[in-house]
Amino acid sequence: MGTILVTGGAGYIGSHVVLKLAERGEDVVVLDNLSTGFRSAVLHGDLMIGDTADRHLVSKLLEARRVDAVMHFAAHIVVPESVEQPLKYYRNNTCATGSLLECCIESGVRHFVFSSTAAVYGIPATGRAGEDAPTEPINPYGTSKLVSEWMLRDAARVSSLDYVALRYFNVAGADFAGRIGQSTPNATHLVKVACEHVVGKRDHVPVFGNDYDTPDGTCVRDYVHVEDLAAAHLDALDYLRQGGGSATLNCGYGRGFSVHEVLGAVRRVSGETLNVVPAPRRPGDPPQLVAVAERIRDLLGWTPRHDDLEEIVSSALAWERRLLSGPMT
Ligand code: UDP
């Protein structure tokens, strides 16, 4: 087996994937510019500090380490920020992916696993999205990833590179051994925000909109444990190594929870009452976004092991408590 290049491997999801690759004894090199990632989150392999868009660096790395598979996580991921600074997202997410793909094809990389997002669906008519649902993103983050998917599709057609693009739903939770977790300051994701409130880092949890056309008026999402999501990447790599053809797959459990249901789980797990404050709707939020998620099970044999909201919350909360003892470096 050749070396695996993991871009963004010092970030939240990438670092969990690197740990799983370590458990299998894979040869890993991480490329991360540490703009939002942490050196100390890379618990395996070699860390190169640099930018995915740096062609010279990337080409040298691919050749020197004889990389034959790339897992590409490096990206900006904050939806509201993408609305305010769209070109930052197109540059860092779309243009950088194009540049990385060119380097990969030039160096003969065979397998590419791409971090995509359910945000490519925009507002699905029924609230559920299968892979063939229309892709009509409603924010630049989603568009930046969708265009990357198209580049990947078109480049794979005319090269020997094959790929799996995983469209993530709402990723949350942390490593059960407590070694890594979501560490970004000023996080905007619900589970993290609620856990920060429980440990005293925030004085309240805002609920963005309570008049949506959903059962309790708050938005519904498909929350996936980061451990299961990480496992899906290894399944994708195995599939490609065994000769599987390129595919774009949802990665979600296929069931949704509202904001109030998530906060209920946080209350039960923590035993704390929460200061929940109604707030206006947040721009770019679809009312309901839940995966139709059979294809990934059929094609990759992905078997989720942590489809349990309380398990997601308890691991996220344990990590938040660990962060109290000192920030990541
Ligand atoms: N949300 C909320 N309060 C928060 C953070 C998020 O009410 O402090 C809501 C948000 O409006 C959305 C859902 O929780 O309806 C999930 O948002 P998150 O940012 O976690 O993920 P997204 O679905 O935007 O990727």
Side-chain angles (χ1 to χ4, degrees), residues 212-267:
Y212 285 100
D213 184 16
T214 57
D216 67 16
T218 64
C219 291
V220 172
R221 295 287 183 275
D222 189 340
Y223 293 88
V224 187
H225 200 296
V226 66
E227 289 271 340
D228 279 334
L229 182 77
H233 291 76
L234 275 77
D235 293 341
L237 180 65
D238 291 344
Y239 163 84
L240 291 172
R241 280 175 169 170
Q242 287 156 18
S246 294
T248 299
L249 302 170
N250 281 346
C251 195
Y253 292 138
R255 49 92 190 106
F257 292 106
S258 71
V259 173
H260 282 317
E261 285 173 324
V262 171
L263 296 179
V266 174
R267 277 191 205 93

Short mmCIF file of all heavy atoms in Angstrom, two decimals, residues 212-267:
data_model
loop_
_atom_site.label_atom_id
_atom_site.label_comp_id
_atom_site.label_asym_id
_atom_site.label_seq_id
_atom_site.Cartn_x
_atom_site.Cartn_y
_atom_site.Cartn_z
N TYR A 212 -40.29 27.48 11.97
CA TYR A 212 -40.15 26.71 10.73
C TYR A 212 -41.30 25.70 10.62
O TYR A 212 -41.90 25.32 11.63
CB TYR A 212 -38.82 25.95 10.72
CG TYR A 212 -37.61 26.82 10.47
CD1 TYR A 212 -36.81 27.25 11.52
CD2 TYR A 212 -37.26 27.19 9.17
CE1 TYR A 212 -35.68 28.04 11.30
CE2 TYR A 212 -36.13 27.97 8.94
CZ TYR A 212 -35.36 28.39 9.99
OH TYR A 212 -34.25 29.17 9.76
N ASP A 213 -41.52 25.25 9.41
CA ASP A 213 -42.56 24.26 9.18
C ASP A 213 -42.00 22.86 9.50
O ASP A 213 -41.76 22.03 8.62
CB ASP A 213 -43.01 24.35 7.71
CG ASP A 213 -44.17 23.40 7.43
OD1 ASP A 213 -44.79 22.93 8.40
OD2 ASP A 213 -44.42 23.13 6.25
N THR A 214 -41.75 22.64 10.76
CA THR A 214 -41.21 21.36 11.25
C THR A 214 -42.01 21.00 12.50
O THR A 214 -42.74 21.87 13.03
CB THR A 214 -39.72 21.49 11.64
OG1 THR A 214 -39.61 22.53 12.63
CG2 THR A 214 -38.84 21.83 10.43
N PRO A 215 -41.92 19.77 13.00
CA PRO A 215 -42.79 19.36 14.12
C PRO A 215 -42.76 20.30 15.32
O PRO A 215 -43.81 20.62 15.89
CB PRO A 215 -42.29 17.96 14.47
CG PRO A 215 -41.77 17.44 13.16
CD PRO A 215 -41.18 18.63 12.45
N ASP A 216 -41.60 20.79 15.74
CA ASP A 216 -41.60 21.71 16.89
C ASP A 216 -41.18 23.13 16.50
O ASP A 216 -40.91 23.96 17.38
CB ASP A 216 -40.76 21.16 18.06
CG ASP A 216 -39.26 21.10 17.74
OD1 ASP A 216 -38.82 21.74 16.76
OD2 ASP A 216 -38.54 20.41 18.49
N GLY A 217 -41.11 23.40 15.20
CA GLY A 217 -40.81 24.76 14.74
C GLY A 217 -39.32 25.05 14.59
O GLY A 217 -38.94 26.08 14.04
N THR A 218 -38.47 24.13 15.11
CA THR A 218 -37.02 24.36 14.96
C THR A 218 -36.46 23.44 13.87
O THR A 218 -37.10 22.45 13.50
CB THR A 218 -36.27 24.14 16.29
OG1 THR A 218 -36.38 22.76 16.69
CG2 THR A 218 -36.83 25.03 17.39
N CYS A 219 -35.27 23.78 13.38
CA CYS A 219 -34.71 23.05 12.23
C CYS A 219 -34.34 21.62 12.60
O CYS A 219 -33.91 21.34 13.73
CB CYS A 219 -33.46 23.76 11.73
SG CYS A 219 -33.80 25.34 10.96
N VAL A 220 -34.48 20.76 11.62
CA VAL A 220 -34.19 19.33 11.82
C VAL A 220 -32.95 18.94 11.01
O VAL A 220 -32.83 19.31 9.84
CB VAL A 220 -35.41 18.49 11.37
CG1 VAL A 220 -35.09 17.00 11.38
CG2 VAL A 220 -36.61 18.80 12.26
N ARG A 221 -32.05 18.20 11.67
CA ARG A 221 -30.82 17.78 11.01
C ARG A 221 -30.52 16.32 11.34
O ARG A 221 -30.97 15.78 12.34
CB ARG A 221 -29.62 18.63 11.52
CG ARG A 221 -29.69 20.09 11.19
CD ARG A 221 -29.42 20.36 9.72
NE ARG A 221 -29.42 21.79 9.44
CZ ARG A 221 -30.51 22.50 9.17
NH1 ARG A 221 -31.70 21.93 9.14
NH2 ARG A 221 -30.41 23.78 8.92
N ASP A 222 -29.64 15.76 10.51
CA ASP A 222 -29.21 14.37 10.65
C ASP A 222 -27.81 14.39 11.29
O ASP A 222 -26.82 14.64 10.60
CB ASP A 222 -29.19 13.76 9.23
CG ASP A 222 -28.98 12.27 9.22
OD1 ASP A 222 -28.48 11.72 10.21
OD2 ASP A 222 -29.31 11.66 8.18
N TYR A 223 -27.75 14.17 12.59
CA TYR A 223 -26.47 14.27 13.32
C TYR A 223 -25.73 12.94 13.27
O TYR A 223 -26.28 11.90 13.65
CB TYR A 223 -26.72 14.70 14.78
CG TYR A 223 -27.26 16.11 14.85
CD1 TYR A 223 -28.63 16.37 14.77
CD2 TYR A 223 -26.39 17.20 14.91
CE1 TYR A 223 -29.13 17.67 14.78
CE2 TYR A 223 -26.88 18.50 14.93
CZ TYR A 223 -28.24 18.72 14.86
OH TYR A 223 -28.72 20.01 14.87
N VAL A 224 -24.47 12.99 12.83
CA VAL A 224 -23.66 11.78 12.66
C VAL A 224 -22.45 11.84 13.58
O VAL A 224 -21.78 12.88 13.65
CB VAL A 224 -23.12 11.69 11.21
CG1 VAL A 224 -22.44 10.35 10.99
CG2 VAL A 224 -24.22 11.88 10.21
N HIS A 225 -22.16 10.74 14.24
CA HIS A 225 -20.98 10.71 15.12
C HIS A 225 -19.71 10.74 14.28
O HIS A 225 -19.58 9.99 13.31
CB HIS A 225 -21.00 9.45 15.99
CG HIS A 225 -20.13 9.59 17.20
ND1 HIS A 225 -18.77 9.76 17.13
CD2 HIS A 225 -20.45 9.65 18.52
CE1 HIS A 225 -18.27 9.88 18.35
NE2 HIS A 225 -19.27 9.82 19.21
N VAL A 226 -18.76 11.56 14.69
CA VAL A 226 -17.52 11.72 13.93
C VAL A 226 -16.77 10.40 13.79
O VAL A 226 -16.07 10.16 12.79
CB VAL A 226 -16.63 12.83 14.56
CG1 VAL A 226 -16.13 12.43 15.94
CG2 VAL A 226 -15.49 13.22 13.65
N GLU A 227 -16.94 9.50 14.75
CA GLU A 227 -16.26 8.19 14.65
C GLU A 227 -16.83 7.37 13.49
O GLU A 227 -16.09 6.69 12.78
CB GLU A 227 -16.47 7.40 15.96
CG GLU A 227 -15.71 7.96 17.13
CD GLU A 227 -14.30 7.37 17.23
OE1 GLU A 227 -14.05 6.31 16.65
OE2 GLU A 227 -13.46 7.99 17.88
N ASP A 228 -18.14 7.43 13.33
CA ASP A 228 -18.75 6.72 12.19
C ASP A 228 -18.37 7.38 10.88
O ASP A 228 -18.14 6.70 9.87
CB ASP A 228 -20.28 6.71 12.33
CG ASP A 228 -20.76 5.61 13.27
OD1 ASP A 228 -20.06 4.59 13.41
OD2 ASP A 228 -21.85 5.78 13.86
N LEU A 229 -18.35 8.70 10.88
CA LEU A 229 -17.97 9.41 9.66
C LEU A 229 -16.53 9.06 9.28
O LEU A 229 -16.22 8.79 8.11
CB LEU A 229 -18.11 10.92 9.87
CG LEU A 229 -17.77 11.73 8.62
CD1 LEU A 229 -18.90 11.67 7.62
CD2 LEU A 229 -17.45 13.16 8.96
N ALA A 230 -15.66 9.04 10.27
CA ALA A 230 -14.25 8.70 10.00
C ALA A 230 -14.16 7.29 9.42
O ALA A 230 -13.44 7.05 8.44
CB ALA A 230 -13.42 8.82 11.28
N ALA A 231 -14.94 6.38 9.99
CA ALA A 231 -14.91 4.99 9.49
C ALA A 231 -15.36 4.94 8.03
O ALA A 231 -14.83 4.14 7.25
CB ALA A 231 -15.80 4.11 10.36
N ALA A 232 -16.30 5.79 7.65
CA ALA A 232 -16.77 5.80 6.26
C ALA A 232 -15.63 6.13 5.29
O ALA A 232 -15.60 5.63 4.17
CB ALA A 232 -17.91 6.82 6.10
N HIS A 233 -14.68 6.96 5.73
CA HIS A 233 -13.55 7.30 4.86
C HIS A 233 -12.64 6.10 4.62
O HIS A 233 -12.11 5.91 3.53
CB HIS A 233 -12.74 8.46 5.46
CG HIS A 233 -13.48 9.75 5.43
ND1 HIS A 233 -14.49 10.04 6.31
CD2 HIS A 233 -13.40 10.81 4.60
CE1 HIS A 233 -14.99 11.23 6.03
NE2 HIS A 233 -14.34 11.72 4.99
N LEU A 234 -12.48 5.29 5.66
CA LEU A 234 -11.65 4.10 5.47
C LEU A 234 -12.38 3.09 4.59
O LEU A 234 -11.77 2.43 3.75
CB LEU A 234 -11.25 3.50 6.83
CG LEU A 234 -10.01 4.17 7.40
CD1 LEU A 234 -10.31 5.54 7.99
CD2 LEU A 234 -9.32 3.30 8.42
N ASP A 235 -13.69 3.01 4.77
CA ASP A 235 -14.48 2.13 3.88
C ASP A 235 -14.37 2.60 2.43
O ASP A 235 -14.28 1.78 1.51
CB ASP A 235 -15.96 2.13 4.30
CG ASP A 235 -16.18 1.48 5.66
OD1 ASP A 235 -15.29 0.73 6.12
OD2 ASP A 235 -17.23 1.75 6.28
N ALA A 236 -14.38 3.92 2.24
CA ALA A 236 -14.28 4.47 0.89
C ALA A 236 -12.92 4.13 0.28
O ALA A 236 -12.82 3.74 -0.89
CB ALA A 236 -14.48 5.98 0.92
N LEU A 237 -11.88 4.24 1.08
CA LEU A 237 -10.54 3.92 0.59
C LEU A 237 -10.44 2.44 0.21
O LEU A 237 -9.93 2.09 -0.87
CB LEU A 237 -9.51 4.27 1.68
CG LEU A 237 -8.07 4.02 1.33
CD1 LEU A 237 -7.62 4.93 0.19
CD2 LEU A 237 -7.17 4.25 2.56
N ASP A 238 -10.97 1.58 1.07
CA ASP A 238 -10.93 0.14 0.77
C ASP A 238 -11.68 -0.15 -0.52
O ASP A 238 -11.23 -0.94 -1.35
CB ASP A 238 -11.58 -0.66 1.91
CG ASP A 238 -10.73 -0.62 3.17
OD1 ASP A 238 -9.54 -0.25 3.07
OD2 ASP A 238 -11.27 -0.92 4.25
N TYR A 239 -12.81 0.48 -0.66
CA TYR A 239 -13.64 0.28 -1.86
C TYR A 239 -12.86 0.67 -3.11
O TYR A 239 -12.83 -0.07 -4.10
CB TYR A 239 -14.90 1.13 -1.68
CG TYR A 239 -15.70 1.40 -2.92
CD1 TYR A 239 -16.64 0.47 -3.40
CD2 TYR A 239 -15.54 2.60 -3.62
CE1 TYR A 239 -17.37 0.74 -4.54
CE2 TYR A 239 -16.28 2.87 -4.75
CZ TYR A 239 -17.19 1.94 -5.21
OH TYR A 239 -17.92 2.21 -6.34
N LEU A 240 -12.19 1.82 -3.07
CA LEU A 240 -11.44 2.27 -4.25
C LEU A 240 -10.24 1.35 -4.50
O LEU A 240 -9.95 0.98 -5.64
CB LEU A 240 -10.97 3.71 -4.06
CG LEU A 240 -12.08 4.77 -4.07
CD1 LEU A 240 -11.52 6.14 -3.69
CD2 LEU A 240 -12.77 4.85 -5.44
N ARG A 241 -9.58 0.93 -3.43
CA ARG A 241 -8.42 0.04 -3.60
C ARG A 241 -8.83 -1.29 -4.21
O ARG A 241 -8.05 -1.95 -4.88
CB ARG A 241 -7.75 -0.20 -2.25
CG ARG A 241 -6.84 0.94 -1.82
CD ARG A 241 -6.32 0.69 -0.42
NE ARG A 241 -5.26 1.61 -0.05
CZ ARG A 241 -4.77 1.71 1.18
NH1 ARG A 241 -5.27 0.97 2.17
NH2 ARG A 241 -3.80 2.55 1.44
N GLN A 242 -10.07 -1.69 -3.93
CA GLN A 242 -10.54 -2.96 -4.50
C GLN A 242 -11.10 -2.79 -5.90
O GLN A 242 -11.70 -3.70 -6.46
CB GLN A 242 -11.62 -3.56 -3.58
CG GLN A 242 -11.06 -4.13 -2.29
CD GLN A 242 -12.08 -4.18 -1.17
OE1 GLN A 242 -13.29 -4.12 -1.42
NE2 GLN A 242 -11.61 -4.28 0.06
N GLY A 243 -10.94 -1.57 -6.46
CA GLY A 243 -11.35 -1.36 -7.84
C GLY A 243 -12.75 -0.78 -8.01
O GLY A 243 -13.27 -0.75 -9.13
N GLY A 244 -13.35 -0.35 -6.92
CA GLY A 244 -14.69 0.25 -7.01
C GLY A 244 -14.66 1.52 -7.84
O GLY A 244 -13.66 2.25 -7.82
N GLY A 245 -15.73 1.79 -8.56
CA GLY A 245 -15.78 2.97 -9.42
C GLY A 245 -16.14 4.22 -8.62
O GLY A 245 -16.64 4.15 -7.49
N SER A 246 -15.87 5.36 -9.22
CA SER A 246 -16.13 6.64 -8.55
C SER A 246 -17.58 6.77 -8.12
O SER A 246 -18.49 6.31 -8.83
CB SER A 246 -15.75 7.79 -9.48
OG SER A 246 -14.36 7.77 -9.70
N ALA A 247 -17.79 7.41 -6.98
CA ALA A 247 -19.15 7.51 -6.43
C ALA A 247 -19.28 8.74 -5.53
O ALA A 247 -18.31 9.17 -4.92
CB ALA A 247 -19.46 6.26 -5.61
N THR A 248 -20.48 9.25 -5.49
CA THR A 248 -20.82 10.36 -4.58
C THR A 248 -21.88 9.84 -3.63
O THR A 248 -22.93 9.37 -4.07
CB THR A 248 -21.32 11.56 -5.40
OG1 THR A 248 -20.26 11.96 -6.26
CG2 THR A 248 -21.72 12.72 -4.50
N LEU A 249 -21.60 9.92 -2.33
CA LEU A 249 -22.45 9.22 -1.36
C LEU A 249 -22.81 10.12 -0.18
O LEU A 249 -21.94 10.81 0.37
CB LEU A 249 -21.70 7.99 -0.82
CG LEU A 249 -21.25 6.97 -1.86
CD1 LEU A 249 -20.31 5.95 -1.23
CD2 LEU A 249 -22.45 6.28 -2.49
N ASN A 250 -24.04 10.03 0.25
CA ASN A 250 -24.44 10.70 1.49
C ASN A 250 -23.83 9.98 2.68
O ASN A 250 -23.76 8.75 2.69
CB ASN A 250 -25.96 10.62 1.65
CG ASN A 250 -26.68 11.63 0.80
OD1 ASN A 250 -26.07 12.56 0.27
ND2 ASN A 250 -28.00 11.47 0.66
N CYS A 251 -23.45 10.75 3.68
CA CYS A 251 -23.02 10.13 4.93
C CYS A 251 -23.84 10.72 6.07
O CYS A 251 -23.53 11.80 6.60
CB CYS A 251 -21.52 10.33 5.14
SG CYS A 251 -20.90 9.23 6.41
N GLY A 252 -24.91 10.03 6.36
CA GLY A 252 -25.81 10.42 7.45
C GLY A 252 -26.48 9.15 7.93
O GLY A 252 -26.30 8.09 7.33
N TYR A 253 -27.25 9.26 9.02
CA TYR A 253 -27.91 8.06 9.53
C TYR A 253 -29.30 7.88 8.91
O TYR A 253 -29.91 6.83 9.04
CB TYR A 253 -28.05 8.13 11.04
CG TYR A 253 -26.75 8.05 11.81
CD1 TYR A 253 -26.52 8.89 12.91
CD2 TYR A 253 -25.77 7.13 11.46
CE1 TYR A 253 -25.35 8.80 13.64
CE2 TYR A 253 -24.59 7.04 12.19
CZ TYR A 253 -24.38 7.88 13.27
OH TYR A 253 -23.22 7.81 14.00
N GLY A 254 -29.84 8.96 8.35
CA GLY A 254 -31.16 8.85 7.75
C GLY A 254 -32.29 9.15 8.71
O GLY A 254 -33.44 8.78 8.46
N ARG A 255 -31.99 9.80 9.82
CA ARG A 255 -33.07 10.23 10.74
C ARG A 255 -32.70 11.62 11.29
O ARG A 255 -31.54 11.98 11.42
CB ARG A 255 -33.30 9.22 11.87
CG ARG A 255 -32.03 8.77 12.57
CD ARG A 255 -31.74 9.62 13.75
NE ARG A 255 -30.43 9.39 14.33
CZ ARG A 255 -29.41 10.23 14.21
NH1 ARG A 255 -29.53 11.30 13.46
NH2 ARG A 255 -28.27 10.01 14.83
N GLY A 256 -33.75 12.39 11.60
CA GLY A 256 -33.49 13.77 11.98
C GLY A 256 -33.87 14.09 13.41
O GLY A 256 -34.76 13.47 13.99
N PHE A 257 -33.17 15.08 13.98
CA PHE A 257 -33.54 15.63 15.30
C PHE A 257 -33.65 17.14 15.18
O PHE A 257 -32.84 17.77 14.49
CB PHE A 257 -32.48 15.28 16.35
CG PHE A 257 -32.41 13.82 16.68
CD1 PHE A 257 -31.37 13.04 16.23
CD2 PHE A 257 -33.42 13.22 17.43
CE1 PHE A 257 -31.30 11.68 16.52
CE2 PHE A 257 -33.38 11.86 17.73
CZ PHE A 257 -32.32 11.09 17.26
N SER A 258 -34.62 17.69 15.89
CA SER A 258 -34.77 19.14 15.90
C SER A 258 -33.77 19.75 16.86
O SER A 258 -33.15 19.06 17.69
CB SER A 258 -36.19 19.51 16.35
OG SER A 258 -36.33 19.23 17.73
N VAL A 259 -33.65 21.08 16.78
CA VAL A 259 -32.76 21.79 17.72
C VAL A 259 -33.21 21.50 19.16
O VAL A 259 -32.38 21.19 20.04
CB VAL A 259 -32.78 23.31 17.43
CG1 VAL A 259 -32.01 24.08 18.50
CG2 VAL A 259 -32.21 23.61 16.05
N HIS A 260 -34.53 21.53 19.41
CA HIS A 260 -35.01 21.26 20.77
C HIS A 260 -34.69 19.83 21.21
O HIS A 260 -34.37 19.59 22.37
CB HIS A 260 -36.52 21.51 20.87
CG HIS A 260 -36.86 22.97 20.95
ND1 HIS A 260 -36.17 23.86 21.74
CD2 HIS A 260 -37.83 23.70 20.32
CE1 HIS A 260 -36.68 25.08 21.61
NE2 HIS A 260 -37.69 25.01 20.74
N GLU A 261 -34.77 18.90 20.28
CA GLU A 261 -34.45 17.50 20.64
C GLU A 261 -32.96 17.36 20.99
O GLU A 261 -32.60 16.65 21.92
CB GLU A 261 -34.83 16.56 19.50
CG GLU A 261 -36.34 16.34 19.42
CD GLU A 261 -36.76 15.54 18.19
OE1 GLU A 261 -36.16 15.71 17.10
OE2 GLU A 261 -37.73 14.77 18.32
N VAL A 262 -32.12 18.06 20.25
CA VAL A 262 -30.69 18.01 20.57
C VAL A 262 -30.46 18.61 21.95
O VAL A 262 -29.73 18.05 22.79
CB VAL A 262 -29.87 18.77 19.50
CG1 VAL A 262 -28.41 18.93 19.94
CG2 VAL A 262 -29.95 18.06 18.15
N LEU A 263 -31.11 19.74 22.22
CA LEU A 263 -30.91 20.39 23.53
C LEU A 263 -31.46 19.50 24.65
O LEU A 263 -30.89 19.47 25.75
CB LEU A 263 -31.54 21.78 23.54
CG LEU A 263 -30.90 22.76 22.54
CD1 LEU A 263 -31.60 24.12 22.58
CD2 LEU A 263 -29.39 22.93 22.78
N GLY A 264 -32.52 18.76 24.36
CA GLY A 264 -33.06 17.80 25.34
C GLY A 264 -32.00 16.75 25.68
O GLY A 264 -31.80 16.38 26.85
N ALA A 265 -31.32 16.25 24.65
CA ALA A 265 -30.27 15.25 24.87
C ALA A 265 -29.13 15.85 25.70
O ALA A 265 -28.57 15.19 26.59
CB ALA A 265 -29.74 14.73 23.54
N VAL A 266 -28.81 17.11 25.44
CA VAL A 266 -27.73 17.77 26.20
C VAL A 266 -28.15 17.88 27.67
O VAL A 266 -27.34 17.64 28.59
CB VAL A 266 -27.39 19.15 25.60
CG1 VAL A 266 -26.39 19.90 26.47
CG2 VAL A 266 -26.87 19.01 24.17
N ARG A 267 -29.41 18.19 27.91
CA ARG A 267 -29.89 18.26 29.31
C ARG A 267 -29.80 16.91 30.00
O ARG A 267 -29.32 16.79 31.12
CB ARG A 267 -31.37 18.70 29.34
CG ARG A 267 -31.56 20.17 29.25
CD ARG A 267 -33.02 20.55 29.55
NE ARG A 267 -33.29 21.81 28.90
CZ ARG A 267 -33.80 21.94 27.67
NH1 ARG A 267 -34.18 20.89 26.97
NH2 ARG A 267 -33.96 23.13 27.14
#
